[in-house]
Amino acid sequence: MHRPADKEPMAGVNDEVGTKHPRSRPVRWFLCGIATVSLGVLPAAGQQSDQLQEQLKQLKQQYETTTHELEQRINALEQQIDKEKADREKQAKETPKEGTISATNLAAQQVVKAVMGNSDQVGGKFQGQLPQEPTYDFLKEADVKISKLQEHVNAFEYHGYFRSGYGLNSEGGEQVAFQAPGAGAKYRLGNEAETYGEFIFVNNWINPDETSDKAWAKTEVMVEANTTNSASYANFPNGVGNDQFRLREAFVQAGNVLESQPNAKFWAGERYYRRQHVEIDDFYPLDMSGYGGGVEDVDVRVGKLAVAFLSGARPDIVTQNGTLAKSNIDVRLYSVKGPHLWGLLEGLWSGWFDYAWSKGGTGGTSSTIIPTTDGYAFGLKHELLEWHGGYHSFSVQYGSGAASNFSTSIIGPAPYINRSAQLLITEQALYQPNDRFAILPIFVYQQTKDGNPQHRWNQWESFGARPEVFFTKHLSLAVEGGFDHTNAPGQYNGWLRKVTVAPQIGVGRKFFSRPVLRAFLTYANWSDGFRGQVGGAPYTNRTNGLTYGVQTEMWW
């Protein structure tokens, strides 16, 4: 996720403090106006009250203008202070001696004096002559409120992602998605028939800048929304097609609490945990998101270490031990720099290990035996973060038993769960040699086994690519093609092909430039072995389909 962009510097930031500046003129006009009003009030005591009210109205307008000017100057000064603070931290960590005045404090005094003038005399001059508190008190209160507001702004972060749009199928009904049965994902472009969003709220309670001189702590909450694009106010009988909202993250993270490990981050709660993602088919090879706690970014010289306790449960399955739960101990070593051996091993390497266990028992009215299970999983990943204008990533992982799904969710439960297994290999590479062309190809190979000795391995192979051509800074064309083959002996065996053409309006010449608005036309066809299993009702008796529509996508 991205942090909101900083405010642009206000005009006059680079001017030397104490020199005259056009921004000081409204203040002088304000003070002169007050003096003029006060001199006119004394001899005009007998004037009508409506004239006094008009003068008071004008004075209030001048106050609002001056308060706004003060806010601008304070913002400019805070930027200078932040810059100087960063410079001081680089130079030394010694505490300034008593009796000394920092340059920032002196600059603050001079700027406030330049903005407010001899403000200590304002209250005494006008107190009692106007039906309101002294002007100095008003300005001082505004100063405090602005300062506190700025603290809240610096402490709060708002991130998120959403996609939305609408499409139709060639039979006239609402858009449908094309996905092969047994495939873990589908190719995304022009093939997403829902509105989906993730909205993240972060508040930095201590040390928002995460400076090295003290600890920091923050909370993160994420709300996920998923709608069927059926109606902007979905309220259908039996809840069919209604909007869904979930709390996907709610955790606290703290850092710089150990002098020996200043970069270590401790956390507890619910969160997305160090997921691995394949972009153009929205596939997560490794997703241990769930509930728990741990520590990450521990410096172990060769790289960084993360250890976490993560869990998930099935409230629909209850035994004499309570709700069926699965626990995981997840250990990861990452950011390990590869040796320079003719460029073969360069880049960053990471490895991970997971041990999972679940206590079984007797559950349900039929006294079904839920087996106690455990298992392990491990994986290896290699990344080149700077590769021909993009990146390259390759991963291989294997899991067995309760850990074979590379997730905190519970498989089954099935009687042969301890014998289940999965092998998964993924590769993706973003290639962008210039600002006119980019392409992201991917490859996925997966084998899974449910543990039943009479069942063979299920298989899924997928490869595809999304090239993009940038005509201008804002106009581009994306084309995505993908091929999936799945085989579950005795259930299904076949292939699916899908291609999408999408002209786009965006904000840059990069593959991941967002936001983007696109129109799309999607065509898919599949083998006869998938007849009735792809495309839903409009394509029940067909082996091809077409959809079209519009979509927008954004993250920040």
Side-chain angles (χ1 to χ4, degrees):
M1 311 288 165
H2 305 282
R3 295 178 182 268
D6 295 332
K7 294 182 177 179
E8 295 183 359
M10 304 304 301
V13 170
N14 296 324
D15 296 341
E16 295 183 3
V17 177
T19 60
K20 293 184 178 180
H21 189 275
R23 289 185 176 276
S24 63
R25 292 176 183 171
V27 178
R28 294 203 301 273
W29 294 342
F30 169 63
L31 296 177
C32 291
I34 294 177
T36 301
V37 172
S38 64
L39 292 175
V41 169
L42 291 176
Q47 291 181 356
Q48 296 179 0
S49 60
D50 56 344
Q51 293 177 342
L52 294 176
Q53 291 295 333
E54 181 64 22
Q55 292 175 0
L56 179 59
K57 180 180 179 181
Q58 294 177 359
L59 185 59
K60 288 182 177 180
Q61 291 176 347
Q62 292 175 342
Y63 161 70
E64 292 176 356
T65 302
T66 305
T67 303
H68 179 67
E69 184 69 25
L70 177 62
E71 179 183 3
Q72 291 181 323
R73 296 302 299 272
I74 289 175
N75 288 338
L77 178 60
E78 285 179 342
Q79 293 183 12
Q80 289 180 290
I81 292 174
D82 291 341
K83 183 178 184 301
E84 186 168 327
K85 183 178 179 181
D87 293 339
R88 287 202 313 273
E89 288 180 354
K90 292 181 180 180
Q91 294 175 358
K93 296 182 178 180
E94 296 181 358
T95 304
K97 298 180 180 179
E98 294 184 2
T100 61
I101 301 178
S102 68
T104 54
N105 290 334
L106 181 59
Q109 295 174 6
Q110 292 176 345
V111 169
V112 172
K113 184 176 181 181
V115 173
M116 299 179 59
N118 297 323
S119 56
D120 58 328
Q121 299 177 6
V122 175
K125 183 175 182 179
F126 294 102
Q127 187 173 1
Q129 298 184 30
L130 298 175
Q132 62 182 24
E133 294 181 345
T135 305
Y136 172 76
D137 290 343
F138 275 159
L139 293 179
K140 183 178 180 181
E141 182 181 358
D143 186 8
V144 173
K145 289 183 178 179
I146 291 170
S147 178
K148 290 183 178 180
L149 179 61
Q150 189 64 37
E151 290 178 5
H152 286 298
V153 171
N154 290 339
F156 179 74
E157 302 174 35
Y158 177 46
H159 310 290
Y161 166 85
F162 74 81
R163 61 176 180 264
S164 182
Y166 194 75
L168 297 170
N169 66 63
S170 59
E171 300 301 306
E174 190 179 21
Q175 178 190 1
V176 295
F178 303 110
Q179 180 171 348
K186 64 182 185 298
Y187 286 89
R188 301 177 60 183
L189 187 66
N191 203 28
E192 294 170 315
E194 73 283 332
T195 290
Y196 178 86
E198 296 177 347
F199 307 99
I200 307 170
F201 306 93
V202 180
N203 201 81
N204 297 275
W205 299 103
I206 305 174
N207 189 12
D209 296 327
E210 299 185 12
T211 57
S212 59
D213 58 338
K214 59 182 178 180
W216 56 266
K218 65 180 181 180
T219 57
E220 180 169 324
V221 176
M222 176 194 287
V223 177
E224 176 201 287
N226 188 18
T227 82
T228 58
N229 288 356
S230 301
S232 60
Y233 177 71
N235 187 22
F236 303 107
N238 302 319
V240 177
N242 287 351
D243 300 344
Q244 298 177 342
F245 295 88
R246 305 177 183 88
L247 186 64
R248 295 299 306 274
E249 286 193 316
F251 69 96
V252 175
Q253 190 176 50
N256 200 21
V257 296
L258 297 177
E259 292 185 2
S260 59
Q261 289 287 343
N263 296 319
K265 301 176 179 65
F266 296 85
W267 68 274
E270 178 196 14
R271 66 175 289 190
Y272 285 174
Y273 186 71
R274 309 190 68 85
R275 305 185 303 173
Q276 296 181 10
H277 185 223
V278 180
E279 169 61 27
I280 67 172
D281 67 350
D282 208 17
F283 179 55
Y284 290 88
L286 177 61
D287 185 1
M288 296 296 294
S289 301
Y291 300 84
V295 60
E296 52 191 336
D297 290 349
V298 177
D299 188 356
V300 290
R301 295 183 181 275
V302 297
K304 296 180 180 179
L305 180 71
V307 181
F309 169 72
L310 298 155
S311 296
R314 286 282 300 269
D316 59 323
I317 303 175
V318 181
T319 71
Q320 74 273 19
N321 304 315
T323 300
L324 183 65
K326 185 176 85 170
S327 301
N328 300 264
I329 298 296
D330 184 287
V331 181
R332 307 196 188 191
L333 178 65
Y334 51 97
S335 295
V336 178
K337 295 182 179 180
H340 296 277
L341 296 178
W342 305 287
L344 298 178
L345 301 177
E346 292 181 358
L348 296 178
W349 292 82
S350 60
W352 66 275
F353 176 83
D354 173 51
Y355 175 71
W357 71 96
S358 177
K359 179 65 179 296
T362 303
T365 56
S366 60
S367 300
T368 303
I369 302 299
I370 307 299
T372 295
T373 62
D374 68 348
Y376 64 89
F378 59 90
L380 188 67
K381 184 179 182 180
H382 175 255
E383 294 177 291
L384 290 172
L385 301 182
E386 296 182 3
W387 186 79
H388 300 287
Y391 64 87
H392 177 268
S393 175
F394 174 84
S395 69
V396 56
Q397 51 202 56
Y398 177 84
S400 67
S404 62
N405 61 345
F406 312 134
S407 169
T408 58
S409 62
I410 298 176
I411 307 173
Y416 303 102
I417 189 65
N418 277 324
R419 298 180 182 178
S420 63
Q422 179 179 179
L423 171 67
L424 180 59
I425 301 172
T426 67
E427 184 173 19
Q428 59 179 325
L430 173 58
Y431 175 74
Q432 184 162 4
N434 51 54
D435 62 358
R436 298 180 300 276
F437 176 78
I439 184 171
L440 199 164
I442 70 166
F443 169 76
V444 177
Y445 177 81
Q446 180 188 62
Q447 280 194 330
T448 58
K449 189 175 184 180
D450 62 9
N452 190 326
Q454 297 181 357
H455 294 172
R456 291 183 292 171
W457 290 80
N458 295 341
Q459 194 165 302
W460 171 40
E461 303 104 7
S462 179
F463 58 87
R466 183 192 298 181
E468 292 190 12
V469 178
F470 302 94
F471 304 110
T472 70
K473 183 178 180 180
H474 303 295
L475 300 178
S476 62
L477 177 68
V479 179
E480 182 181 272
F483 176 89
D484 291 287
H485 174 262
T486 59
N487 180 21
Q491 301 179 54
Y492 51 78
N493 181 18
W495 51 263
L496 180 146
R497 296 178 295 199
K498 170 259 179 192
V499 62
T500 298
V501 178
Q504 301 182 137
I505 298 175
V507 296
R509 289 176 171 267
K510 293 185 178 299
F511 187 88
F512 288 114
S513 293
R514 298 293 186 276
V516 64
L517 298 87
R518 55 174 70 108
F520 64 84
L521 177 67
T522 297
Y523 173 79
N525 68 334
W526 48 93
S527 63
D528 196 63
F530 288 167
R531 185 184 295 272
Q533 301 184 66
V534 177
Y539 302 111
T540 301
N541 299 314
R542 296 176 54 178
T543 57
N544 62 80
L546 183 144
T547 61
Y548 55 93
V550 294
Q551 187 195 50
T552 184
E553 186 178 33
M554 174 63 178
W555 55 64
W556 63 94

